[in-house]
Amino acid sequence: SKLTMLEFLLDELLQCGEIANEMTRRFDRAAGVSCPYGDLPTSAQFENLCNKDECTICNLEGDLLCCDGCTGSFHRACIGMPTS
């Protein structure tokens, strides 16, 4: 089946040295982060909070929602929020 073939191909890909190293690097980097999209600001940073001009998820500008608890800004579509 297609699913079995996909699983086989992914297993083969993950055994490639460069891919395995990159996945390990990303996993290790994410292990030190307390939130999915980055660390929360310190008290000093929170008082002078300035949100990003690009979406934290897709890195594009546009009509963004600014987070009150971090520097992230997000498109409604990128976070699964209705656009209307």
Side-chain angles (χ1 to χ4, degrees):
S1 76
K2 292 180 182 179
L3 187 55
T4 303
M5 179 59 77
L6 180 60
E7 184 178 350
F8 170 78
L9 291 173
L10 285 172
D11 286 342
E12 290 294 311
L13 182 65
L14 291 173
Q15 291 179 17
C16 174
E18 289 181 32
I19 300 296
N21 291 340
E22 177 64 17
M23 295 303 288
T24 300
R25 184 188 69 79
R26 290 182 184 193
F27 179 79
D28 291 344
R29 184 172 153 211
V33 177
S34 60
C35 298
Y37 300 111
D39 291 322
L40 294 175
T42 63
S43 296
Q45 290 171 325
F46 188 71
E47 288 184 24
N48 300 312
L49 191 66
C50 183
N51 293 86
K52 296 179 182 179
D53 293 330
E54 299 84 23
C55 177
T56 303
I57 296 173
C58 71
N59 220 22
L60 297 175
E61 294 179 351
D63 188 18
L64 302 170
L65 297 172
C66 296
C67 180
D68 292 334
C70 71
T71 59
S73 299
F74 306 91
H75 291 113
R76 289 177 182 267
C78 290
I79 57 174
M81 197 175 200
T83 55
S84 57

